[in-house]
Amino acid sequence: MKALGTIFAVLLLTGTVTASGAEIDTVAKRFATTDTVETPDFQRHVVPLLGKLGCNGRACHGSFQGRGGFRLSLFGYDFKADHDEMSGRVDPETPAESLVLQKPLMETPHEGGQRLKPGSWQHRLLLNWVKGDAPARAEDAAKLSELQVTPTEVQFSHDGQSVQMKAVAVWADGTREDVTDLCRFQTNDDQVADITSGGFLEASTPGDTHIVVFYDSAVVAVPVMRPIFDRTGDNYPTTPTPTRIDRLVVAKLKKLGVVQSERCSDEEFLRRVSLDVTGALPTVTEIREFTTDTNSDKRSRKIDELLERPGYTAWWTTKLCDYTGNSDDQLNNVTPVRQAASKQWYEWIHARVEKNVPYDEIVEGLVMAVSRDPGESYEDYCTNMSQLYHKNVDSSFAGREQMPHYWARRNFQQMEDRVIGFAYTFLGVRIQCAQCHKHPFDKWTQDDFKGFQGFFTGVTGRTTNPRPENRTDYKEMLAKFDTGDLKGGQLRNELRKIVQQGKTIPFGEVYSTPPPKIVVVERKGRKQKVRKGSGRTATEGRLLGQEPIDLTEYEDVREPLMAWLRSPENPLFAKAFVNRVWASYFNVGIVNPPDDMNLANPPSNAPLLDHLATGFIAHGFDMKWLHREILNSRTYQLSWQPNSTNRLDERNFARAVPRRLSAEIAWDMVSQAVSNDEKFAQFTTSVEGRAIAITGAGTRYRGNGDASYAMTIFGRSIRESNCDCDRSEEPSLLQTIFLRNDSQILEMLDKKDGWLAQVAKENDVRFTSKTPSTADKAKLAKMAQLRRTYGNRLKTQQAALTKLKKKGGSEKQIARLEVQIKSLRKKWKQYLEPGGEDAKDGKGSVDLAKAIDDAYLRTLSRKPTESEAAAATEFVAASEDQLDGLRGVMWALLNTKEFIVNH
C-alpha cells in the first residue's frame, strides 16, 4: 500500500504539457554545448537570466544609483534602458572580453562576486548574445500572454516528497517555450515547502503555503499543501456544509486534514453578530428571548434584524470613511466652517448606507464627483452651499448628488498620490512600488503606473476657486461684503462669520476639465491640426492590465475608469471590497493584509474569494446581500473553542478566532455594560453619543469627546493615508492599564445613571460613589455641607419633639413639629448620595444571584457557571458592602479577555 501511495503521489505531482504547437526546449539544454549557434532574445532570455543571477536586484545593479557605474532597471522592466546600458559593456569584435562577461566570471574584479561559471549554459547564453551583435528587443516584439506553471497545485503527503516545477511561456505570436531555468522561484513559507533556484520543490513540515514563480511580467502562485492531520479522504468526518461558503472552506480543510469546530452556542452567536454588525452588546431581555426561541431560522432572522438597526448603518459608514480617507487633517480649509467637511462626508455616506444604495453607486458618487449637482448654476450652487451653514435651515449635504471632498483632500492633489490612494481604496492594491520600477510582487510596471495617471489629470480638487467661466461671478459676490484686501486664512475666517449670519457667500469648487481636442483649422489657406482645451488633462490613459484608451472621446476622463471599476471583468474592484468585509468578520482576509492584493500574495482560498466577488457583482453590488451571505454561513457561526486539529489555524477558517474589537466598539461596549437598563437598551436602538457615530478622524480631530483618550490607545484610524494600517487592532499594555486603572473607567462604574446606581435603587441600598469625577467633586462637597446642615437641624428638631412629648405638649404643637421633621428628613435624604432623593432608608439587601447573573449577561452575554457564581458571591460577601462587592465583580468582568475580544 505504501508503494502504491508513493506512485499515486508521483502521478499527482507530475504535470503534463498539452499544446497545439511545438514546445521549445529549455535554454539549459539548448546552450549546454559549445556548438549552439542560436542568438538569445534580449527580452525572453537575457533579461530574465540577469534577474535569475541577481544582477538587476535592488542590492546590485537594479538599485536606484546602480553599482560600479552600471545601472539596470529593477527586476528588468525597461528593456530599452537596460540594452543601452549594456551596449557600452559588450564587444562584438572580441565577445569574450566584454565586461558583461568578464565581471560576472570574475576575470575582472567584481564587487558582486562570481555570478557565472566558465562553460556553463548561462555563460554560453550571454556569450552567444554578444556574438550575435547583442540585439535589442524588437519594437514589434510579441508580449507574454501567459506563464503556465505545472503542477497547478501540489499536495504532499509525507516527508521526503519532492517535485520539479515546470514553467512554459506562451507568447502572443504562438511561441511556447520551457523557461523553467530562467524563472525566479520563492516560497511564502519555507517551513512548509522549500524550493531551489531551479524550481525543485521539497516538502517540509505539514501546513499550506504558496510557491511563487516570476518570469518577464508574469507572477504565478501555486498552492502547496501537506496534511496537518490524517483526517483526509475517507477518514474525514462528516461535516455540515449548508452554504456555498461552507462547501468551499471545507473543501480545502479536507486536503489539510483539519476539522472545523462545532457551531457556537446561541449566546456566543448573538454576542458575536451583535458586536460585528452593530457595535453593541445584546440586551439581557434580547439574550433571554433569543436563547429560548426554538425556531430553526432564528439566527437568520436575527441577522436581518441587526442589518436594519442604526448601529449597522453607523458602523459601516465609519468603515467606508476609513477606506475612502475622510480625514480632518486632509480637509483643512475645504469648507468655511472647521471640521464641517468630515461631517458632511460622513452624512453623505450614511444616507446611502442607510438606504442600502449599491456599493458601486456610492463609489461612483466619489470617483465621478464634482461640486455642482447636474443643472445647478453657480449662483444656485453658492446659495445651496451657504444654507448648509445657516441656522434654523433644514439642509444637509447628504442630499447632494456627489461627494467632491474626496478630491479636495490635501494628500490627493498630486497625480501620483491620486493613483496610489485610489488603488488602495478601490482595488486593494499597493501600487506605489510601480511609481519608480516594476512591482516586485505583481505585474505592474512604471508604464502601467504612468498610464493609469491619465484618468486623474482632469480634476481640479482644491476648492479655492470656481470654474474659470465663473471667476467673475465669484469676485462680484465677494465684492458685496466688506472684506477689503483680506486673503487666505483671514478671508476664510471672515467668510465663515458672514455665512453664519445667514448670508450667501461665494464658494470654490471641485470640477473636471475635458481633455484637449485635436481639431483641424485653416490658417492662411492651409489646414492644420491643433490642440484645443486644457493641456493639463491627459489625452490618453491606460487601465491596469489594459490597452491605452483615447481620452479625447470623453468629456470627463474618469468615465472609462468608473465603467472599468464596475465591469464584471474587473479582477480587483469587487474582490477588494468583499475581502475587506470578510476580514472584518474573521480577523484576517482571504487575502491578507486586505489592502495588499498582489499576485505573490494569493488568496488562502481562491474559489471562496471568486464566489463572493462574483455573487456581489451578480446581486448588483448589494452590501447587505454580502453581509447576509457571510453571516448566515456555518463558517461564521463556528465556535472559538478549538479541537485537536484546528488549534493553530488562523487562516483557513476552521474556527472562530477571538479578536480584539475596534476602538469605537470597545469604548461603546464599556459604556454600554456599565449603564442602567434604559441606557443599555438605547445602544441597540440609537447611535446618539456613540463612538461608532463619530463623524471625523485625524490627529487634529477634536470631536471624540470623552472617548478621545480611549480612541487613541485602542487604535482608531487616523486616516493619514488610504492604507488599512491607519487603524490598529493590536492589543497593548496601555489598553490593559486603561481598563484596569484609569480614573475614567472607575468613574463610569459609579455613574448616577449606571448599573450600580440602578441596583442600589431597586434593592433599597445606599449607593456611595467610590470614585467621584473631577467635575463632581465641588458638587459633592456642597452636598456634604448641606447634608450636615440638614442633619444637624433634623437632630435638633427630633430632640425637641422627644422633649415635647415627655412634657405633654399639645397635639397641635406635636403635629407642627412632626411636619417640620418630615420636611427636613426629605431634604436631608436628597443629599445622602447622588440620586439619593429616590432612596428609602438604605437598609435593603441586594438579590445577589440576580445581580451577578445580570452582571455576566450585560458584559459576556451569558450567565455565570456555577463556579463563577459561587466565586462572585463569596467575593461580594467578603466586601465592605454588597455594592462595593458588585463594583469589584463588574470591574473584573470588564478586564476579562472574554469581554474585550469578540469570540
Side-chain angles (χ1 to χ4, degrees):
M1 289 298 293
K2 183 176 181 181
L4 183 62
T6 302
I7 293 171
F8 176 77
V10 171
L11 290 173
L12 179 67
L13 299 174
T14 303
T16 58
V17 177
T18 57
S20 57
E23 181 181 290
I24 301 173
D25 212 344
T26 176
V27 289
K29 294 181 180 179
R30 301 196 327 256
F31 291 90
T33 60
T34 56
D35 57 359
T36 181
V37 295
E38 177 186 349
T39 299
D41 183 271
F42 187 70
Q43 176 182 359
R44 301 186 186 190
H45 307 127
V46 176
V47 172
L49 178 59
L50 295 177
K52 182 91 170 182
L53 298 174
C55 302
N56 56 21
R58 59 168 55 92
C60 199
H61 299 290
S63 68
F64 185 73
Q65 68 274 17
R67 286 286 187 275
F70 182 46
R71 179 186 173 190
L72 297 172
S73 63
L74 186 61
F75 309 122
Y77 69 92
D78 191 335
F79 299 111
K80 183 180 185 306
D82 287 349
H83 187 269
D84 290 346
E85 191 79 7
M86 293 180 70
S87 296
R89 295 185 170 231
V90 298
D91 185 357
E93 297 293 330
T94 52
E97 296 180 9
S98 299
L99 278 178
V100 293
L101 293 171
Q102 289 191 332
K103 286 275 189 177
L105 287 169
M106 284 297 286
E107 293 176 357
T108 298
H110 183 220
E111 186 180 340
Q114 187 177 37
R115 296 284 169 166
L116 290 178
K117 291 183 179 180
S120 65
W121 68 264
Q122 295 95 333
H123 177 206
R124 293 192 185 99
L125 188 151
L126 285 177
L127 180 61
N128 275 28
W129 177 68
V130 178
K131 286 180 177 179
D133 287 333
R137 175 181 182 268
E139 290 186 6
D140 60 347
K143 293 184 178 180
L144 180 67
S145 300
E146 183 185 4
L147 183 66
Q148 297 177 345
V149 179
T150 52
T152 55
E153 180 177 289
V154 178
Q155 294 182 52
F156 290 125
S157 59
H158 54 264
D159 289 336
Q161 282 188 296
S162 60
V163 62
Q164 174 63 54
M165 304 302 296
K166 181 178 180 179
V168 175
V170 181
W171 298 89
D173 61 5
T175 306
R176 298 173 58 85
E177 180 179 0
D178 184 339
V179 292
T180 305
D181 293 310
L182 293 170
C183 292
R184 292 182 292 118
F185 297 90
Q186 76 170 37
T187 175
N188 285 353
D189 187 347
D190 58 9
Q191 296 298 309
V192 175
D194 202 7
I195 192 165
T196 67
S197 62
F200 188 73
L201 182 66
E202 294 184 281
S204 296
T205 59
D208 70 300
T209 186
H210 287 81
I211 59 106
V212 186
V213 187
F214 302 86
Y215 174 78
D216 194 66
S217 61
V219 181
V220 178
V222 177
V224 180
M225 285 171 276
R226 178 181 169 187
I228 300 171
F229 294 92
D230 61 357
R231 309 294 295 275
T232 58
D234 294 338
N235 202 26
Y236 197 83
T238 301
T239 302
T241 53
T243 71
R244 176 69 173 159
I245 287 175
D246 299 319
R247 291 190 285 277
L248 293 171
V249 169
V250 171
K252 182 177 180 183
L253 293 176
K254 282 183 176 180
K255 297 176 182 179
L256 293 169
V258 174
V259 180
Q260 285 189 328
S261 294
E262 296 299 319
R263 202 166 76 138
C264 66
S265 67
D266 283 344
E267 292 90 345
E268 287 177 355
F269 168 77
L270 183 60
R271 185 181 198 270
R272 181 190 303 170
V273 74
S274 297
L275 288 171
D276 276 344
V277 176
T278 70
L281 291 160
T283 66
V284 173
T285 300
E286 193 176 359
I287 295 168
R288 288 173 176 150
E289 289 177 350
F290 187 77
T291 53
T292 56
D293 187 347
T294 57
N295 291 306
S296 60
D297 65 343
K298 65 180 183 181
R299 293 195 179 192
S300 61
R301 285 189 289 108
K302 179 56 69 174
I303 290 168
D304 289 342
E305 177 190 333
L306 292 171
L307 288 172
E308 298 305 318
R309 288 186 181 177
Y312 160 77
T313 302
W315 180 230
W316 277 95
T317 296
T318 294
K319 298 277 277 186
L320 289 172
C321 284
D322 282 355
Y323 303 151
T324 55
N326 177 13
S327 169
D328 288 274
D329 291 354
Q330 306 303 334
L331 292 169
N332 193 32
N333 300 328
V334 169
T335 55
V337 177
R338 291 180 180 177
Q339 298 190 350
S342 64
K343 185 173 184 290
Q344 291 167 359
W345 191 327
Y346 180 94
E347 290 175 346
W348 188 88
I349 291 182
H350 185 278
R352 284 147 184 81
V353 175
E354 187 174 40
K355 295 176 183 177
N356 198 34
V357 171
Y359 175 66
D360 66 319
E361 292 184 20
I362 295 176
V363 172
E364 183 178 24
L366 295 161
V367 173
M368 297 298 298
V370 292
S371 291
R372 291 193 222 174
D373 281 351
E376 190 175 41
S377 68
Y378 181 68
E379 183 179 355
D380 289 341
Y381 163 67
C382 293
T383 299
N384 293 332
M385 292 301 295
S386 295
Q387 288 178 350
L388 295 172
Y389 310 98
H390 293 170
K391 295 179 180 179
N392 303 319
V393 175
D394 185 17
S395 181
S396 171
F397 205 99
R400 305 287 297 174
E401 290 283 328
Q402 298 171 327
M403 175 38 63
H405 300 342
Y406 174 78
W407 293 89
R409 294 170 292 160
R410 290 192 303 174
N411 62 348
F412 206 66
Q413 299 311 303
Q414 300 301 316
M415 297 308 113
E416 295 85 355
D417 293 336
R418 289 179 175 180
V419 170
I420 293 169
F422 181 92
Y424 262 123
T425 298
F426 301 119
L427 305 176
V429 170
R430 301 180 181 182
I431 200 173
Q432 56 267 41
C433 290
Q435 185 176 355
C436 301
H437 53 76
K438 184 184 182 301
H439 198 292
F441 305 119
D442 217 318
K443 61 184 179 181
W444 316 126
T445 67
Q446 192 175 31
D447 289 341
D448 291 312
F449 189 97
K450 291 179 178 178
F452 203 46
Q453 282 184 193
F455 302 102
F456 302 90
T457 56
V459 182
T460 299
R462 297 306 288 168
T463 54
T464 51
N465 290 302
R467 298 175 186 175
E469 62 267 27
N470 296 113
R471 300 284 167 84
T472 301
D473 299 327
Y474 178 93
K475 292 177 181 178
E476 289 177 352
M477 291 181 71
L478 189 62
K480 296 178 182 179
F481 309 110
D482 186 18
T483 58
D485 296 326
L486 295 180
K487 294 181 180 179
Q490 291 180 325
L491 178 59
R492 284 191 295 271
N493 288 335
E494 187 62 27
L495 290 175
R496 172 176 54 81
K497 296 175 184 177
I498 294 170
V499 75
Q500 289 179 328
Q501 294 170 4
K503 299 176 182 179
T504 297
I505 63 172
F507 278 79
E509 55 184 317
V510 171
Y511 59 92
S512 176
T513 304
K517 307 289 185 182
I518 306 299
V519 297
V520 177
V521 297
E522 189 170 329
R523 292 177 178 173
K524 296 181 180 180
R526 297 178 60 184
K527 292 183 177 180
Q528 296 179 338
K529 290 183 177 180
V530 298
R531 290 163 57 102
K532 293 191 66 177
S534 172
R536 295 183 302 168
T537 305
T539 58
E540 184 178 274
R542 194 165 92 185
L543 298 165
L544 295 179
Q546 307 288 314
E547 293 299 319
I549 293 175
D550 181 4
L551 296 180
T552 61
E553 298 178 4
Y554 301 91
E555 281 300 305
D556 190 325
V557 296
R558 297 171 295 178
E559 291 177 31
L561 176 66
M562 189 61 228
W564 173 69
L565 279 185
R566 55 165 45 118
S567 167
E569 284 71 43
N570 187 303
L572 297 169
F573 179 61
K575 286 183 179 180
F577 185 71
V578 301
N579 188 53
R580 280 187 167 116
V581 174
W582 182 276
S584 71
Y585 291 132
F586 288 90
N587 192 52
V588 294
I590 303 171
V591 174
N592 206 58
D595 63 348
D596 192 13
M597 299 179 71
N598 65 71
L599 296 176
N601 182 35
S604 60
N605 192 320
L608 174 62
L609 184 60
D610 290 340
H611 161 68
L612 291 171
T614 302
F616 187 47
I617 296 170
H619 285 82
F621 296 95
D622 183 342
M623 292 187 290
K624 285 188 178 178
W625 172 86
L626 179 60
H627 291 294
R628 287 191 185 95
E629 184 76 2
I630 295 172
L631 297 171
N632 277 303
S633 68
R634 183 178 182 273
T635 299
Y636 172 77
Q637 298 177 23
L638 294 174
S639 171
W640 63 272
Q641 296 181 0
N643 56 43
S644 59
T645 70
N646 66 23
R647 182 173 56 86
L648 299 178
D649 176 55
E650 292 191 354
R651 64 191 300 267
N652 287 308
F653 321 116
R655 63 185 176 92
V657 177
R659 58 194 188 279
R660 212 217 71 201
L661 292 157
S662 300
E664 297 92 334
I665 296 177
W667 175 255
D668 279 348
M669 190 169 61
V670 172
S671 303
Q672 184 183 13
V674 300
S675 297
N676 62 30
D677 288 348
E678 182 182 358
K679 288 201 69 176
F680 192 106
Q682 288 175 1
F683 277 75
T684 66
T685 59
S686 171
V687 294
E688 185 177 355
R690 289 188 56 189
I692 63 167
I694 294 173
T695 58
T699 56
R700 301 180 185 179
Y701 185 67
R702 297 295 179 265
N704 294 328
D706 292 341
S708 291
Y709 181 60
M711 292 296 96
T712 300
I713 64 171
F714 279 95
R716 184 175 193 255
S717 178
I718 57 174
R719 301 174 189 164
E720 191 172 50
S721 65
N722 290 93
C723 178
D724 289 5
C725 57
D726 284 342
R727 175 181 291 276
S728 171
E729 295 187 356
E730 294 298 318
S732 70
L733 179 61
L734 194 57
Q735 295 162 12
T736 302
I737 293 172
F738 175 77
L739 287 173
R740 290 188 178 184
N741 297 325
D742 195 90
S743 60
Q744 194 172 16
I745 295 293
L746 302 178
E747 289 168 9
M748 290 169 70
L749 287 167
D750 288 338
K751 292 190 302 181
K752 290 184 291 183
D753 57 356
W755 175 68
L756 283 175
Q758 174 184 298
V759 172
K761 180 179 176 181
E762 290 175 347
N763 293 275
D764 188 24
V765 175
R766 179 169 298 172
F767 175 64
T768 304
S769 173
K770 293 287 184 180
T771 53
S773 65
T774 303
D776 284 341
K777 286 181 180 178
K779 183 178 179 180
L780 289 171
K782 181 68 173 177
M783 289 171 65
Q785 180 184 351
L786 291 169
R787 186 164 61 245
R788 287 192 297 270
T789 300
Y790 285 114
N792 290 336
R793 289 173 61 183
L794 184 59
K795 288 178 182 179
T796 300
Q797 294 291 65
Q798 285 175 332
L801 179 61
T802 302
K803 186 176 180 180
L804 187 61
K805 287 181 177 180
K806 285 182 180 180
K807 289 184 176 181
S810 68
E811 291 183 3
K812 188 176 181 180
Q813 288 177 314
I814 291 172
R816 186 188 306 117
L817 206 52
E818 285 177 341
V819 170
Q820 292 175 358
I821 288 172
K822 185 177 180 180
S823 176
L824 284 169
R825 180 179 286 112
K826 184 177 181 181
K827 291 179 179 178
W828 173 71
K829 276 193 172 185
Q830 288 181 354
Y831 302 107
L832 281 176
E833 68 282 316
E837 60 186 343
D838 294 319
K840 298 175 184 177
D841 57 13
K843 295 180 180 179
S845 178
V846 175
D847 182 346
L848 287 183
K850 179 181 181 303
I852 291 169
D853 272 4
D854 194 37
Y856 270 80
L857 285 167
R858 62 179 33 248
T859 53
L860 308 184
S861 303
R862 65 171 177 84
K863 288 186 176 181
T865 63
E866 288 186 12
S867 60
E868 289 170 336
T873 302
E874 183 180 349
F875 175 81
V876 175
S879 300
E880 181 180 335
D881 59 61
Q882 290 181 313
L883 282 186
D884 191 42
L886 287 174
R887 182 185 289 108
V889 170
M890 177 59 75
W891 175 87
L893 289 170
L894 294 179
N895 281 280
T896 59
K897 288 183 180 178
E898 190 176 352
F899 174 75
I900 203 61
V901 302
N902 201 2
H903 52 275

